[in-house]
Amino acid sequence: AFTIRIAHTGAIIPVNPGQSAVAALAAHGIELPVSCEQGVCGTCLTRIVDGIPDHRDSYLTDDEREANAVFLPCCSRAKSECLVIDI
Ligand code: FES
């Protein structure tokens, strides 16, 4: 499990094991645009302000993966305890 913090509001959203970040945000009334929900299309691309994502998509390039500035919250998770996102 990890938490997501919304940079501009400070809201903290827990993401349970087996729950996607998109689903956790939706449960708190924050709807991100999604399409494939399998890490393929890039629709849910989200900027990361702080924290290390655990990339599980097949959309980002290797350079983008290493930069850790964006992630795909429909499928990816976090290696750090908290991911701060800019939405
Ligand atoms: Fe397609 Fe997330 S919805 S990559």
Side-chain angles (χ1 to χ4, degrees):
F2 61 100
T3 59
I4 287 179
R5 183 151 59 89
I6 311 295
H8 75 281
T9 65
I12 293 184
I13 290 119
V15 184
N16 298 322
Q19 179 186 40
S20 73
V22 163
L25 289 163
H28 287 76
I30 300 164
E31 302 279 352
L32 296 184
V34 291
S35 180
C36 72
E37 300 195 56
Q38 295 178 6
V40 175
C41 70
T43 301
C44 65
L45 189 76
T46 299
R47 283 186 301 276
I48 293 173
V49 179
D50 197 19
I52 308 294
D54 180 5
H55 296 291
R56 299 192 184 178
D57 65 278
S58 50
Y59 176 82
L60 296 177
T61 65
D62 288 346
D63 284 350
E64 286 172 324
R65 254 175 245 290
E66 285 170 23
N68 289 330
V70 293
F71 85 133
L72 284 306
C74 66
C75 61
S76 295
R77 307 191 67 80
K79 291 179 176 167
S80 52
E81 283 181 18
C82 183
L83 275 187
V84 184
I85 64 171
D86 180 17
I87 55 171

Short mmCIF file of all heavy atoms in Angstrom, two decimals, residues 22 32-45 57-59 71-76, ligand 1:
data_model
loop_
_atom_site.label_atom_id
_atom_site.label_comp_id
_atom_site.label_asym_id
_atom_site.label_seq_id
_atom_site.Cartn_x
_atom_site.Cartn_y
_atom_site.Cartn_z
N VAL A 22 -5.86 5.02 -9.83
CA VAL A 22 -7.04 5.67 -10.43
C VAL A 22 -8.30 5.35 -9.62
O VAL A 22 -9.11 6.23 -9.34
CB VAL A 22 -7.21 5.21 -11.91
CG1 VAL A 22 -8.60 5.50 -12.42
CG2 VAL A 22 -6.17 5.91 -12.79
N LEU A 32 -9.78 10.89 -12.79
CA LEU A 32 -8.77 11.14 -13.82
C LEU A 32 -9.29 10.58 -15.14
O LEU A 32 -10.03 9.60 -15.16
CB LEU A 32 -7.46 10.43 -13.46
CG LEU A 32 -6.74 10.89 -12.20
CD1 LEU A 32 -5.42 10.13 -12.07
CD2 LEU A 32 -6.49 12.38 -12.22
N PRO A 33 -8.89 11.20 -16.24
CA PRO A 33 -9.27 10.64 -17.53
C PRO A 33 -8.58 9.30 -17.75
O PRO A 33 -7.38 9.18 -17.52
CB PRO A 33 -8.77 11.68 -18.54
CG PRO A 33 -7.69 12.42 -17.82
CD PRO A 33 -8.05 12.40 -16.36
N VAL A 34 -9.34 8.30 -18.13
CA VAL A 34 -8.76 6.98 -18.43
C VAL A 34 -9.38 6.45 -19.71
O VAL A 34 -10.47 6.85 -20.11
CB VAL A 34 -8.98 5.95 -17.31
CG1 VAL A 34 -8.19 6.30 -16.07
CG2 VAL A 34 -10.45 5.78 -17.00
N SER A 35 -8.66 5.55 -20.33
CA SER A 35 -9.20 4.88 -21.51
C SER A 35 -8.91 3.38 -21.42
O SER A 35 -9.79 2.59 -21.10
CB SER A 35 -8.61 5.49 -22.78
OG SER A 35 -9.14 4.84 -23.91
N CYS A 36 -7.66 2.99 -21.67
CA CYS A 36 -7.36 1.55 -21.72
C CYS A 36 -7.33 0.91 -20.34
O CYS A 36 -7.67 -0.25 -20.19
CB CYS A 36 -6.03 1.32 -22.42
SG CYS A 36 -4.59 1.83 -21.45
N GLU A 37 -6.90 1.67 -19.33
CA GLU A 37 -6.69 1.16 -17.97
C GLU A 37 -5.74 -0.03 -17.91
O GLU A 37 -5.82 -0.85 -17.02
CB GLU A 37 -8.04 0.83 -17.29
CG GLU A 37 -8.91 2.09 -17.21
CD GLU A 37 -10.09 1.95 -16.26
OE1 GLU A 37 -9.85 1.63 -15.09
OE2 GLU A 37 -11.23 2.18 -16.70
N GLN A 38 -4.86 -0.11 -18.89
CA GLN A 38 -3.87 -1.19 -18.92
C GLN A 38 -2.46 -0.66 -19.17
O GLN A 38 -1.56 -1.44 -19.49
CB GLN A 38 -4.22 -2.20 -20.01
CG GLN A 38 -5.53 -2.93 -19.74
CD GLN A 38 -5.90 -3.89 -20.86
OE1 GLN A 38 -5.13 -4.09 -21.80
NE2 GLN A 38 -7.07 -4.46 -20.77
N GLY A 39 -2.27 0.65 -19.06
CA GLY A 39 -0.93 1.19 -19.22
C GLY A 39 -0.45 1.25 -20.66
O GLY A 39 0.75 1.29 -20.91
N VAL A 40 -1.38 1.30 -21.59
CA VAL A 40 -1.00 1.25 -23.01
C VAL A 40 -1.20 2.60 -23.71
O VAL A 40 -0.39 3.00 -24.53
CB VAL A 40 -1.82 0.17 -23.75
CG1 VAL A 40 -1.52 0.18 -25.24
CG2 VAL A 40 -1.51 -1.21 -23.16
N CYS A 41 -2.27 3.33 -23.38
CA CYS A 41 -2.68 4.46 -24.22
C CYS A 41 -2.08 5.80 -23.80
O CYS A 41 -1.97 6.72 -24.60
CB CYS A 41 -4.20 4.56 -24.25
SG CYS A 41 -4.92 5.10 -22.69
N GLY A 42 -1.76 5.97 -22.54
CA GLY A 42 -1.21 7.24 -22.07
C GLY A 42 -2.25 8.26 -21.65
O GLY A 42 -1.89 9.35 -21.22
N THR A 43 -3.51 7.94 -21.73
CA THR A 43 -4.57 8.89 -21.39
C THR A 43 -4.47 9.40 -19.96
O THR A 43 -4.72 10.58 -19.69
CB THR A 43 -5.96 8.24 -21.59
OG1 THR A 43 -6.07 7.83 -22.94
CG2 THR A 43 -7.09 9.20 -21.24
N CYS A 44 -4.07 8.54 -19.04
CA CYS A 44 -4.08 8.91 -17.62
C CYS A 44 -2.76 9.53 -17.16
O CYS A 44 -2.58 9.75 -15.95
CB CYS A 44 -4.41 7.68 -16.77
SG CYS A 44 -3.14 6.41 -16.86
N LEU A 45 -1.86 9.83 -18.08
CA LEU A 45 -0.54 10.36 -17.75
C LEU A 45 -0.63 11.49 -16.71
O LEU A 45 -1.37 12.45 -16.89
CB LEU A 45 0.13 10.89 -19.01
CG LEU A 45 1.60 11.27 -18.87
CD1 LEU A 45 2.46 10.02 -18.84
CD2 LEU A 45 2.03 12.16 -20.02
N ASP A 57 3.50 0.27 -16.68
CA ASP A 57 2.86 0.51 -17.97
C ASP A 57 3.75 0.01 -19.10
O ASP A 57 4.90 -0.38 -18.88
CB ASP A 57 2.62 2.01 -18.14
CG ASP A 57 3.95 2.75 -18.21
OD1 ASP A 57 4.53 3.03 -17.15
OD2 ASP A 57 4.43 3.00 -19.33
N SER A 58 3.22 0.06 -20.30
CA SER A 58 4.05 -0.21 -21.48
C SER A 58 3.96 0.98 -22.44
O SER A 58 3.99 0.82 -23.65
CB SER A 58 3.59 -1.50 -22.17
OG SER A 58 2.19 -1.49 -22.36
N TYR A 59 3.81 2.16 -21.87
CA TYR A 59 3.64 3.38 -22.66
C TYR A 59 4.87 4.29 -22.61
O TYR A 59 5.31 4.80 -23.64
CB TYR A 59 2.42 4.15 -22.14
CG TYR A 59 2.19 5.48 -22.81
CD1 TYR A 59 1.54 5.56 -24.04
CD2 TYR A 59 2.63 6.65 -22.21
CE1 TYR A 59 1.35 6.79 -24.66
CE2 TYR A 59 2.44 7.88 -22.82
CZ TYR A 59 1.80 7.95 -24.04
OH TYR A 59 1.61 9.16 -24.65
N PHE A 71 3.79 9.36 -14.40
CA PHE A 71 3.48 7.94 -14.32
C PHE A 71 2.06 7.70 -14.83
O PHE A 71 1.33 8.66 -15.08
CB PHE A 71 3.71 7.36 -12.93
CG PHE A 71 2.58 7.51 -11.92
CD1 PHE A 71 2.18 6.42 -11.16
CD2 PHE A 71 1.94 8.72 -11.74
CE1 PHE A 71 1.14 6.54 -10.23
CE2 PHE A 71 0.91 8.85 -10.81
CZ PHE A 71 0.52 7.75 -10.05
N LEU A 72 1.71 6.44 -15.00
CA LEU A 72 0.40 6.06 -15.50
C LEU A 72 -0.39 5.42 -14.35
O LEU A 72 -0.20 4.25 -14.03
CB LEU A 72 0.52 5.06 -16.66
CG LEU A 72 0.95 5.60 -18.03
CD1 LEU A 72 0.05 6.73 -18.48
CD2 LEU A 72 2.37 6.07 -18.07
N PRO A 73 -1.24 6.20 -13.69
CA PRO A 73 -1.88 5.73 -12.46
C PRO A 73 -2.95 4.66 -12.66
O PRO A 73 -3.45 4.12 -11.68
CB PRO A 73 -2.49 7.00 -11.87
CG PRO A 73 -2.69 7.89 -13.05
CD PRO A 73 -1.55 7.59 -13.99
N CYS A 74 -3.29 4.31 -13.90
CA CYS A 74 -4.25 3.22 -14.09
C CYS A 74 -3.64 1.87 -13.73
O CYS A 74 -4.36 0.92 -13.43
CB CYS A 74 -4.79 3.19 -15.52
SG CYS A 74 -3.55 2.78 -16.77
N CYS A 75 -2.30 1.79 -13.79
CA CYS A 75 -1.66 0.48 -13.57
C CYS A 75 -0.41 0.56 -12.71
O CYS A 75 -0.04 -0.43 -12.08
CB CYS A 75 -1.31 -0.17 -14.90
SG CYS A 75 -0.16 0.81 -15.85
N SER A 76 0.25 1.71 -12.69
CA SER A 76 1.52 1.81 -11.97
C SER A 76 1.28 2.08 -10.50
O SER A 76 0.23 2.57 -10.09
CB SER A 76 2.39 2.90 -12.60
OG SER A 76 2.75 2.53 -13.91
FE1 FES B 1 -4.44 4.03 -20.75
FE2 FES B 1 -3.75 4.68 -18.20
S1 FES B 1 -5.72 4.71 -19.14
S2 FES B 1 -2.45 4.24 -19.89
#
